[in-house]
Amino acid sequence: MPISENSPLAPTRCALGLGSNLGDPQANLEHAVQLLDQTSGLTVVRRSSDYRTPPWGPVPQDDYVNICLVVDTTLSPQDLLKRCLETEAELGRVRDIRWGPRKIDIDVLIYGVEKVEETDLEIPHPRMGDRAFVLIPLSEIWPDAPLGDGRTAAEALETCPDQEGVVKLD
C-alpha cells in the first residue's frame, strides 16, 4: 500500500548546508555526508559540488569549503537538528568562537514548507537568502527550493551579493 503524503511515515524534503575550514575540509565534508546518510530515517538525495568560499563574519580565518545536501527524512525538525549536531560532535566540532573557524558546520536550511521558530532552531534558515555560499550550491541541486520568503533558491541567487568570491572546486 503506498504511503500517503500526509502519513507520518512519508519523508519530508529538506536542505542542509555544510561548511568546513579546518584540517582537510573536503574530507571533513565527505565524512559528514557519509554519517548523515547512515542515519536511520534520513536519505541523502543530492549533493552539490564543493565550493571554496571566503569566511563570513568578523573573525579572520581561512576560506571555507561549502556544500549543500538535499535529504529526505522522516525525522522531526528538532530530531534532524539533533542529528546534525551529533554529526558535528562526532567529527570533533568545538564551539568556542561565534563565526569562527570550524572543522564542520551543518545547518538545517529548509524542512519542507514548514516554518519553525524556536530558541535553538529557525526554519527556513533566516539568512540563507542573502548568502552566496549557501545559494550557489543549493541552486545547483535544488533551484526551486522554497526559501520561505516567496522566493526560490534560484530567484534569490539572481540578486545575491558576493557571488564572485564563491569558486567551484574540481
Side-chain angles (χ1 to χ4, degrees):
M1 179 170 149
I3 297 175
S4 138
E5 285 196 31
N6 295 327
S7 165
L9 299 178
T12 300
R13 177 75 30 114
C14 303
L16 304 178
L18 291 78
S20 175
N21 75 339
L22 291 177
D24 182 340
Q26 289 179 293
N28 295 339
L29 293 168
E30 191 55 41
H31 194 186
V33 171
Q34 290 171 355
L35 290 173
L36 290 166
D37 200 37
Q38 294 168 1
T39 301
S40 179
L42 188 150
T43 302
V44 175
V45 177
R46 285 187 210 102
R47 181 195 193 281
S48 74
S49 301
D50 294 358
Y51 290 87
R52 182 177 45 78
T53 64
W56 193 94
V59 179
Q61 58 191 299
D62 291 336
D63 285 350
Y64 278 80
V65 177
N66 286 96
I67 65 170
C68 283
L69 300 176
V70 173
V71 301
D72 285 342
T73 188
T74 55
L75 300 175
S76 70
Q78 278 290 348
D79 285 340
L80 179 57
L81 172 64
K82 180 180 176 194
R83 182 60 190 131
C84 291
L85 295 173
E86 288 170 352
T87 300
E88 290 178 354
E90 287 174 53
L91 292 174
R93 164 103 189 244
V94 177
R95 293 179 178 270
D96 53 357
I97 302 170
R98 183 177 173 125
W99 294 313
R102 57 200 69 174
K103 187 169 182 183
I104 191 73
D105 181 49
I106 307 171
D107 290 328
V108 179
L109 303 172
I110 297 169
Y111 188 93
V113 295
E114 284 194 42
K115 292 187 189 283
V116 177
E117 291 186 23
E118 298 178 7
T119 306
D120 59 343
L121 181 61
E122 195 170 346
I123 304 174
H125 192 287
R127 293 168 297 283
M128 73 175 152
D130 300 318
R131 294 183 173 170
F133 69 86
V134 172
L135 291 176
I136 290 174
L138 183 58
S139 293
E140 175 190 326
I141 58 174
W142 191 8
D144 59 346
L147 300 190
D149 62 3
R151 300 178 298 167
T152 65
E155 289 168 344
L157 184 57
E158 290 175 10
T159 58
C160 184
D162 303 323
Q163 294 185 46
E164 63 282 346
V166 179
V167 177
K168 188 175 182 178
L169 300 174
D170 294 330

